Amino acid sequence: MTEQQAHRFERGTDGPKVIVAGVDGSDSSLRAAAYAAGLARRQGALLAIVYVQPVLAAGAALGAPVADATEEIAQDLAAQIRESMERIKGIFDVRWEFHTFRGDPYNGLVKAADDLTADAVVVGASEQAGHRFVGSVAVRLVKAGRWPVTVVP
């Protein structure tokens, strides 16, 4: 075995070490984060909670303060998560980080999972009716086939 083979990264061999949970403030995404927190606690994994700030070109073209609004959402989500983690401290300990990425949700989560070397991705089921026809972020992540993906209703 060469030195390069000995140090090669391999996904999913001993259980997840990094679990990415995508959040957007929806009820299903918050349930997904809670589910991912339980997985991370049981596996001793790092929970990376990720919010992808949408880049809305149309809103920016109309002069809407899109960047300010999405940054405010990110800060609010981070505050909610910190508050939740503080309430369970000492009872339910889990290592976690909060990350924000810019872009569309699918590409943002792919980038997050790649950058953080995720072993698993957890997302909430889409709450938008149209996604049954054009595909949700969850379906696209599953089809990518790069990580185990758990979709929480």
Side-chain angles (χ1 to χ4, degrees):
M1 182 182 293
T2 68
E3 189 174 324
Q4 184 181 17
Q5 288 173 326
H7 296 291
R8 200 175 111 213
F9 176 75
E10 190 174 349
R11 292 189 197 279
T13 53
D14 293 325
K17 298 293 179 219
V18 178
I19 299 171
V20 166
V23 296
D24 62 7
S26 67
D27 288 343
S28 67
S29 78
L30 297 176
R31 284 191 298 271
Y35 182 86
L39 287 176
R41 180 187 59 82
R42 287 187 297 280
Q43 293 291 328
L46 172 66
L47 173 61
I49 300 171
V50 175
Y51 169 63
V52 180
Q53 296 182 30
V55 177
L56 305 173
L62 297 172
V66 175
D68 292 345
T70 60
E71 186 61 36
E72 190 174 312
I73 292 168
Q75 290 173 0
D76 185 50
L77 284 169
Q80 284 180 45
I81 293 162
R82 278 190 196 93
E83 188 177 297
S84 296
M85 291 299 191
E86 197 58 39
R87 280 195 307 262
I88 59 172
K89 198 173 190 174
I91 302 167
F92 181 91
D93 288 325
V94 64
R95 294 179 305 124
W96 67 280
E97 301 171 350
F98 183 79
H99 300 270
T100 61
F101 289 80
R102 286 192 175 276
D104 69 274
Y106 170 76
N107 287 315
L109 285 173
V110 166
K111 179 167 176 36
D114 283 344
D115 289 359
L116 299 167
T117 319
D119 296 298
V121 178
V122 180
V123 292
S126 175
E127 296 180 354
Q128 297 180 11
H131 283 169
R132 284 179 278 163
F133 304 108
V134 296
S136 67
V137 171
V139 168
R140 292 174 67 194
L141 288 167
V142 169
K143 285 182 178 180
R146 294 168 62 182
W147 324 267
V149 177
T150 302
V151 182
V152 177

